């Protein structure tokens, strides 16, 4: 039997769920289960928290499988809060960390490559995060670059229509400006305070000194790779403050998709990247999972 | 011959010499250590301080001087002014510890005949924190723009010394503090208290004649913009804020916690919260609830500002953009910006130079972008200056020489004059009347104009405009208080 040609592929991209199933409960009803054949999802890391806890793998599995019910295929990379050796896979769930995948859907070929984890300089010292790399060490940076290049070469042999780079960390200088990432909620408050023009006084004995100014938290390794090898799409998360930002400078279209979860920024949360891919081009926007028809007053009560 | 003094052709204004004499008298006859000078903007407080310094140097009572200013650019300005009007007063500016050691800095002072050094309050903090500077290193300290010496902290702490100048109150040498006239008496009292009432004297002079020549401002009634949709959003957000505030206040009252009502944000300070937990036996759950509610309160306040001040970029990224009515509004034209463009065009037609003030960088950027397109401006016509710019004064110079429109955030709220501007449009007002007065004082006279959405914002802006008129009238020495055409 001749396979039906797919003209349009839907792509959903999210990240930084931190094991919060409520987020998925809000997202999934927006998607139609019966039309899942032409839809794929990308989860750009930080799927669950506390990678050393016994329930961690079950949590990750639960999230990815519930998402997979609505998708033809789910691709993911682990984030800094995920286990370094996270390797869950199912029929339609694939880990892209330092791997590649060629997705054939009708007449469309999509090449995917990925890199999980985050650079050490993007998180606060002493945070209990499990997947970090120090790109300031030359040998580490070279290693990461080589991994990405190898995967790129492999996937490019198939001449895909689109090349998608999926990383948890943003490239340096693109949608990556924020305070250092922390899991501690109080630090989220600190950032809100800073926005309000206030400053939180910390105890004198608290060492080392905590940087209070926003800075670029992206990875130079990823930035350089994207600059030289020009994937068509680059999907990443990690820096919540910049979630929902897209950058189209140069060839690559970059998307920070870290704002589905309302943690820690209720104000910018509850959105995911929705994209329609065709051979002739792509069409994208950030779609919200909120109930749009609520009157303004009720909307504030419900979501803020 | 005197070691230093006024250059040939330069002289003090009539009202300045008596103040200089009074400072000298306070130091030499009354034997007080601290002199606080509070005078209106544009009256030459800096010149008065330099004249007093010059006199003290000639008398041999000042050999090492320390000048403290809030910003690096103001240090440069201060020294330029000193060189322009006085001779013999050489000061080392902005010594940087990261570039040279303290011994080298002190060596420069000793062997090159510098009278002292001028630096930012930030550098002062670094020097004193490392134990490199002490009060016996200097005979005289001059603190310009000293209104921020104390900050109102909270109910428990009350006014406290600014973090940057902490420790200065313990110094035993002579000090001159320069402050604007328009700071509250309570604040002045608190500042003086920190330095000891018995050791301090206050010279608070209004100089109406100087004000008249410098500040001929016309505060116009706000231009009202009809956009009921914005008003509806803002009122709903305001109501939400009110609810949170009432809720928080109820909890505070229940636990007998007084204060903090005016500044709920202070409760987000972990140190304050820890103290409250101890003093009022506040349990962890209530403390967390309070902090969550207050951070929500801050978020809602942000949203309100974004609606009022055309920050559509941020709104588009927020979840509110998904609400059907907000979505529609975001796709419609920004009536406030349209009105701003109309007003600016009318001023440009009269050959006026316009200064547009915005408290927020994001709004300033939006204004700059919008006006460029709408009025088809050349890059040299409009100058955007915010705290993100390193070359603020070069850009300002560009505006002064050939620009038509200056869009700026509070980077020039202290010490910088922009007399070239004929009109000021306050797009987003600063956080207090004191700051607004400082900002407006920069243009040294002209039209002052506010824009406001009809409804909620109208009432606030009308009140601000009225207060401003009163402040001008008071500065002018008009007892009746309100004068629309000063």
């Amino acid at each position: 039997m001749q396979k039906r040609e797919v003209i349009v592929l839907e792509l959903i991209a999210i990240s930084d769920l931190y094991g919060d199933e409520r987020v998925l409960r809000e997202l999934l009803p927006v998607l139609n289960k019966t039309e899942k054949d032409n839809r794929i999802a990308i989860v750009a890391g930080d799927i669950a928290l506390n990678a050393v806890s016994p329930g961690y793998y079950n949590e990750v599995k639960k999230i990815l499988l519930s998402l997979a019910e609505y998708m033809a295929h789910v691709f993911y990379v682990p984030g800094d809060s995920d286990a370094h050796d996270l390797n869950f896979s199912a029929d339609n769930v694939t880990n892209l960390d330092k791997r590649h995948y060629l997705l054939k859907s009708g007449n469309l070929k999509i090449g995917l490559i990925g890199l999980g984890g985050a650079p050490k300089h993007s998180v606060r010292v002493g945070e209990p995060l499990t997947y970090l790399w120090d790109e300031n060490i030359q040998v580490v940076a070279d290693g990461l670059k080589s991994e990405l290049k190898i995967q790129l070469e492999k996937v490019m042999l198939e001449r895909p229509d689109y090349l998608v780079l999926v990383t948890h960390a943003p490239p340096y200088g693109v949608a990556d400006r924020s305070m250092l990432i922390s899991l501690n909620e109080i630090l989220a408050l600190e950032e809100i305070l800073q926005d309000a023009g206030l400053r939180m006084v910390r105890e004198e004995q608290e060492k080392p000194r905590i940087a209070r100014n926003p800075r670029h938290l992206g990875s130079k390794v990823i930035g350089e790779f994207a600059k030289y090898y020009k994937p068509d799409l680059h999907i990443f998360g990690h820096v919540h403050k910049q979630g929902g930002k897209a950058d189209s400078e140069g060839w690559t279209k970059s998307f920070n998709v870290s704002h589905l979860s309302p943690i820690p920024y209720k104000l910018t949360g509850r959105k995911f990247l929705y994209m329609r891919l065709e051979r002739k081009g792509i069409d994208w926007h950030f779609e919200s999972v909120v109930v749009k028809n609520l009157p303004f007053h009720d909307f504030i009560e419900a979501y803020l | 011959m005197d070691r230093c003094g006024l250059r040939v052709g330069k002289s003090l204004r009539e009202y300045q010499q008596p103040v200089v004499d009074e400072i000298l008298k306070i130091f030499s006859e009354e034997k007080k250590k601290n002199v606080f000078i509070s005078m209106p903007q544009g009256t030459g407080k800096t010149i008065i301080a330099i004249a007093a310094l010059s006199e003290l140097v000639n008398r041999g009572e000042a050999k090492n001087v320390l000048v403290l200013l809030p910003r690096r650019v103001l240090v440069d300005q201060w020294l330029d002014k000193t060189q322009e009007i006085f001779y013999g007063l050489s000061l080392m500016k902005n010594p940087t510890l990261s570039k040279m050691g303290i011994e080298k800095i002190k060596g420069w002072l000793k062997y090159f005949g510098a009278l002292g050094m001028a630096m930012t309050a930030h550098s002062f903090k670094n020097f004193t924190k490392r134990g490199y500077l002490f009060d016996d290193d200097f005979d005289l300290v001059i603190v310009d723009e000293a209104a921020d010496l104390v900050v109102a902290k909270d109910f428990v702490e009350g006014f406290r010394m600014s973090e940057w100048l902490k420790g200065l109150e313990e110094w035993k040498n002579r000090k001159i503090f320069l402050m604007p006239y328009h700071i509250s008496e309570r604040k002045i009292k608190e500042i003086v208290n920190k330095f000891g009432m018995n050791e301090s004297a206050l010279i608070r002079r209004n100089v109406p004649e100087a004000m008249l020549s410098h500040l001929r401002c016309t505060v116009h009634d706000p231009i009202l913009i009809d956009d009921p949709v914005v008003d509806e959003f803002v009122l709903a957000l305001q109501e939400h804020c009110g609810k949170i505030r009432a809720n928080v206040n109820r909890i505070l009252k229940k636990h007998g916690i007084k204060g903090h009502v005016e500044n709920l944000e202070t409760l987000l300070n972990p140190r304050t919260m820890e103290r409250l937990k101890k003093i009022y036996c506040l349990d962890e759950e209530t403390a967390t609830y309070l902090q969550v509610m207050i951070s929500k309160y801050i978020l809602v306040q942000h949203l309100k500002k974004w609606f009022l001040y055309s920050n559509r970029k941020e709104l588009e990224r927020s979840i509110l953009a998904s609400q059907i009515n907000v979505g529609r509004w975001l796709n419609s034209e920004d009536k406030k910006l349209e009105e701003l463009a109309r007003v600016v065009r009318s001023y440009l037609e009269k050959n006026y130079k316009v200064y547009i003030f915005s408290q927020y960088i994001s709004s300033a950027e939006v204004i700059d972008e919008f006006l460029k397109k709408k009025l088809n401006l050349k890059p040299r016509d409009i100058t955007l200056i915010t705290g993100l710019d390193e070359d603020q004064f070069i850009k300002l110079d560009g505006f002064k020489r050939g620009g038509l429109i200056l869009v700026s955030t509070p980077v020039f709220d202290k010490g910088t004059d922009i007399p070239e501007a004929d009109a000021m449009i306050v797009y987003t007002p600063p956080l207090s009347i004191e700051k607004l007065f400082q900002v407006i004082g920069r243009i040294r006279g002209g039209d002052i104009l506010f824009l406001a959405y009809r409804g909620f914002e109208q009432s606030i802006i009308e009140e601000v405009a009225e207060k401003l008129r009163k402040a001008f009238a008071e500065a002018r020495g008009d007892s009746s208080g309100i004068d629309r055409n000063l």
Side-chain angles (χ1 to χ4, degrees):
Chain A
M1 195 176 79
Q2 202 177 9
K3 202 176 174 186
R4 187 172 63 91
E5 286 226 329
V6 175
I7 298 167
V8 181
L9 182 75
E10 287 182 320
L11 186 150
I12 307 290
I14 55 175
S15 77
D16 299 79
L17 303 174
Y18 295 122
D20 190 351
E21 285 177 46
R22 286 170 307 171
V23 176
L24 273 190
R25 280 203 294 273
E26 283 185 329
L27 168 71
L28 296 179
V30 178
L31 311 167
N32 191 338
K33 210 173 184 175
T34 55
E35 291 171 10
K36 67 174 200 174
D37 291 354
N38 302 329
R39 188 192 297 138
I40 62 165
I42 288 174
V43 185
D46 280 359
I47 303 161
L49 268 175
N50 200 1
V52 288
S53 74
Y56 168 77
Y57 286 94
N58 275 338
E59 216 173 316
V60 172
K61 190 175 160 186
K62 205 171 164 187
I63 285 178
L64 292 176
L65 287 179
S66 2
L67 197 57
E69 279 180 40
Y70 288 77
M71 308 288 161
H73 212 117
V74 174
F75 299 97
Y76 73 91
V77 290
D80 52 290
S81 77
D82 290 310
H84 185 279
D85 55 355
L86 179 64
N87 198 16
F88 171 72
S89 59
D91 287 347
N92 62 342
V93 179
T94 304
N95 183 356
L96 280 178
D97 187 20
K98 295 174 190 162
R99 293 183 179 93
H100 71 278
Y101 192 94
L102 186 84
L103 179 77
K104 288 182 186 169
S105 194
N107 61 352
L108 206 59
K109 278 197 279 183
I110 315 268
L112 296 117
I113 54 172
L115 178 66
K120 234 175 185 174
H121 68 252
S122 66
V123 302
R124 290 190 194 274
V125 178
E127 283 294 319
L129 298 163
T130 38
Y131 192 177
L132 298 170
W133 23 264
D134 191 346
E135 62 180 17
N136 292 322
I137 300 171
Q138 196 58 43
V139 68
V140 175
D142 291 345
L144 292 170
K145 262 186 220 168
S146 315
E147 287 282 2
L148 282 169
K149 277 188 224 171
I150 291 166
Q151 302 311 321
L152 175 89
E153 279 172 21
K154 284 180 180 171
V155 84
M156 287 311 284
L157 290 174
E158 304 286 338
R159 295 195 169 272
D161 298 307
Y162 290 101
L163 176 66
V164 184
L165 171 64
V166 183
T167 61
H168 176 59
Y172 187 86
V174 179
D176 70 333
R177 200 173 149 79
S178 186
M179 308 273 282
L180 293 178
I181 308 288
S182 165
L183 298 175
N184 191 346
E185 198 188 328
I186 202 73
L187 292 167
L189 289 176
E190 188 172 292
E191 214 162 313
I192 291 166
L193 269 177
Q194 197 207 27
D195 286 346
L198 299 168
R199 223 145 60 83
M200 193 176 271
V201 181
R202 311 209 125 252
E203 296 298 331
E204 283 304 316
Q205 66 269 25
E206 200 171 325
K207 301 284 180 190
R209 193 168 151 249
I210 288 173
R212 292 195 174 96
N213 296 326
R215 59 168 94 156
H216 291 292
L217 303 183
S219 156
K220 287 190 174 162
V221 167
I222 296 173
E224 279 169 23
F225 179 82
K227 188 176 162 191
Y228 291 114
Y229 297 97
K230 299 178 178 57
D232 299 288
L233 304 172
H234 183 188
I235 290 164
F236 53 86
H238 193 47
V239 179
H240 296 232
K241 186 138 198 191
Q242 304 288 332
K245 282 201 175 163
D247 186 283
S248 302
E249 268 183 45
W251 179 263
T252 306
K253 287 187 171 59
S254 311
F255 303 93
N256 184 330
V257 295
S258 64
H259 67 335
L260 179 65
S261 164
I263 303 168
Y265 305 111
K266 276 189 167 180
L267 215 53
T268 50
R270 296 185 163 96
K271 278 186 186 172
F272 64 94
L273 175 68
Y274 177 81
M275 190 179 280
R276 288 167 68 85
L277 289 125
E278 290 177 75
R279 285 194 89 158
K280 61 175 184 184
I282 62 161
D283 179 26
W284 62 270
H285 66 273
F286 282 101
E287 180 65 52
S288 178
V289 297
V290 298
V291 183
K292 294 167 188 165
N293 291 329
L294 278 179
F296 187 74
H297 206 281
D298 298 344
F299 191 92
I300 303 169
E301 291 287 345
Y303 292 112
L304 288 185
Chain B
M1 192 189 156
D2 289 338
R3 188 183 157 183
C4 50
L6 282 161
R7 287 189 186 274
V8 177
K10 302 283 182 191
S11 62
L12 295 182
R13 288 184 206 152
E14 205 179 305
Y15 57 86
Q16 287 174 330
Q17 189 57 51
V19 181
V20 175
D21 294 341
E22 203 172 333
I23 296 170
L24 299 172
K25 193 180 151 200
I26 290 165
F27 281 146
S28 53
E29 291 177 24
E30 294 177 24
K31 306 284 180 206
K32 290 192 172 173
K33 300 277 186 203
N34 310 307
V35 183
F36 293 86
I37 300 165
S38 167
M39 288 171 73
Q41 288 160 328
T43 49
K45 294 184 288 291
T46 306
I47 304 296
I48 290 171
I50 302 170
L53 165 64
S54 159
E55 198 55 45
L56 287 168
V57 171
N58 289 334
R59 289 180 185 186
E61 292 177 32
K63 287 174 187 153
N64 292 304
V65 187
L66 174 66
V67 181
L68 298 172
L69 294 126
R71 292 190 194 130
R72 204 178 166 89
V73 283
L74 293 179
V75 175
D76 296 343
Q77 271 194 339
W78 212 92
L79 294 194
D80 289 348
K81 206 177 265 185
T82 309
Q83 294 299 319
E84 186 192 324
I85 303 174
F86 291 82
Y87 67 86
L89 291 175
S90 59
L91 291 161
M92 183 185 198
K93 69 176 176 183
N94 289 319
T96 313
L97 273 176
S98 56
K99 288 187 183 152
M100 39 184 164
I102 185 65
E103 290 313 317
K104 203 170 178 185
I105 292 170
K106 286 187 173 174
W108 273 82
L109 287 173
K110 193 171 174 185
Y111 298 110
F112 288 84
L115 190 60
M117 47 180 140
M119 62 171 80
T120 59
H122 189 274
S123 300
F124 175 77
K125 187 189 169 191
N126 286 339
F127 275 93
T128 48
K129 198 172 149 190
R130 294 182 194 194
Y132 289 160
L133 291 182
F134 299 97
D135 53 352
D136 52 11
D137 288 329
F138 303 100
D139 316 303
L140 180 70
V141 179
I142 299 173
V143 184
D144 205 344
E145 304 293 351
D148 297 332
L149 258 177
V150 294
V151 282
K153 182 62 186 155
D154 58 37
F155 177 72
V156 182
E157 284 187 36
F159 282 86
R160 64 166 171 78
M161 275 296 285
S162 133
E163 269 189 53
W164 310 118
L165 294 168
K166 220 174 199 171
L168 189 65
E169 74 275 21
E170 320 244 309
W171 283 26
K172 300 289 175 214
N173 47 13
R174 289 172 171 176
K175 294 180 263 324
I176 299 175
F177 299 94
L178 308 176
M179 298 180 279
Y181 187 75
H182 280 91
I183 57 171
S184 70
E185 278 187 21
R186 187 175 164 225
K187 195 171 180 183
I188 293 185
K189 201 177 150 195
E190 291 290 342
I191 294 174
V192 175
N193 254 337
K194 294 280 175 200
F195 289 83
M197 279 286 187
N198 298 331
E199 291 285 307
S200 310
L202 171 68
I203 304 172
R204 196 161 192 228
R205 294 272 159 81
N206 193 5
V207 190
E209 65 274 20
M211 291 300 291
L212 273 176
S213 60
H214 284 275
L215 291 173
R216 292 181 194 281
C217 285
T218 307
V219 182
H220 291 279
D221 284 333
I223 292 180
L224 299 178
I225 296 136
D226 284 306
D227 194 339
V229 183
V230 174
D231 200 47
E232 192 186 307
F233 295 151
V234 172
L235 282 174
L237 293 168
Q238 182 64 17
E239 195 187 322
H240 201 72
C241 280
K243 272 187 198 168
I244 298 174
R245 196 173 256 278
N247 219 351
V248 171
N249 287 348
R250 188 177 47 78
I251 295 170
L252 295 179
K253 202 175 165 188
K254 189 179 151 193
H255 287 83
I257 302 169
K258 291 175 183 167
H260 300 288
V261 176
E262 290 302 316
N263 289 315
L264 290 181
E265 294 89 338
T266 54
L267 288 172
L268 288 181
N269 184 335
R271 216 158 64 182
T272 309
M273 196 45 101
E274 279 309 311
R275 208 173 38 225
L276 290 182
K277 277 189 209 166
K278 275 183 202 158
I279 300 171
Y280 299 99
C281 301
L282 206 64
D283 60 273
E284 194 63 47
E285 200 182 326
T286 315
T288 311
Y289 176 75
L290 280 174
Q291 294 199 317
V292 169
M293 292 308 280
I294 294 165
S295 50
K296 197 170 174 181
Y297 176 81
I298 294 172
L299 290 181
V300 179
Q301 294 281 30
H302 271 308
L303 285 170
K304 242 171 62 187
K305 282 177 194 162
W306 291 348
F307 274 114
L308 292 174
Y309 304 142
S310 305
N311 201 341
R312 291 189 178 210
K313 234 182 232 172
E314 287 296 336
L315 273 174
E316 273 162 11
R317 235 161 50 84
S318 79
I319 55 165
L320 275 189
S322 309
Q323 201 272 340
I324 192 158
N325 298 337
V326 178
R328 265 186 220 140
W329 180 77
L330 285 171
N331 288 325
S332 65
E333 66 170 20
D334 189 314
K335 292 181 181 167
K336 206 173 198 180
L337 284 174
E338 292 285 343
E339 187 60 27
L340 174 74
R342 192 193 62 75
V343 174
V344 171
R345 186 182 286 128
S346 69
Y347 274 127
L348 294 182
E349 280 165 7
K350 288 194 264 181
N351 283 332
Y352 275 31
K353 279 191 170 211
V354 186
Y355 176 7
I356 302 167
F357 175 81
S358 160
Q359 179 68 23
Y360 308 100
I361 295 175
S362 48
S363 294
E365 286 171 347
V366 168
I367 292 167
D368 175 64
E369 213 171 289
F370 184 82
L371 290 182
K372 262 183 201 157
K373 275 189 198 156
K374 189 80 187 172
L375 303 179
N376 199 16
L377 297 167
K378 290 175 190 141
R380 65 169 177 272
D381 294 337
I382 186 160
T383 312
L384 170 70
I385 307 176
T386 69
L388 299 176
D389 294 304
E390 281 183 12
D391 48 357
Q392 293 162 352
F393 281 88
I394 297 170
K395 281 184 156 189
L396 181 65
D397 195 49
F399 164 74
K400 286 180 173 181
R401 286 170 196 274
L404 301 174
I405 303 163
L406 171 67
V407 185
S408 160
T409 54
V411 286
F412 302 121
D413 61 348
K414 288 171 186 160
T416 308
D417 296 340
I418 313 171
E420 289 78 4
D422 305 296
M424 175 180 256
I425 301 171
V426 182
Y427 194 79
T428 66
L431 305 171
S432 70
I433 287 289
E434 193 185 298
K435 289 212 160 55
L436 177 63
F437 199 76
Q438 275 184 342
V439 165
I440 283 168
R442 303 295 119 216
I443 67 165
R444 299 281 184 262
D447 279 4
I448 312 287
L449 210 67
F450 295 88
L451 298 172
Y453 285 111
R454 196 182 291 280
F456 175 79
E457 197 189 16
Q458 175 188 0
S459 53
I460 295 170
I461 297 295
E462 279 177 350
E463 198 184 322
V464 168
E466 202 55 44
K467 278 187 182 166
L468 193 65
R469 286 183 192 120
K470 276 187 187 173
F472 274 123
E474 201 182 300
R476 201 187 66 150
D478 180 352
S479 57
S480 67
I482 299 167
D483 188 340
R484 278 162 191 259
N485 297 293
L486 292 171

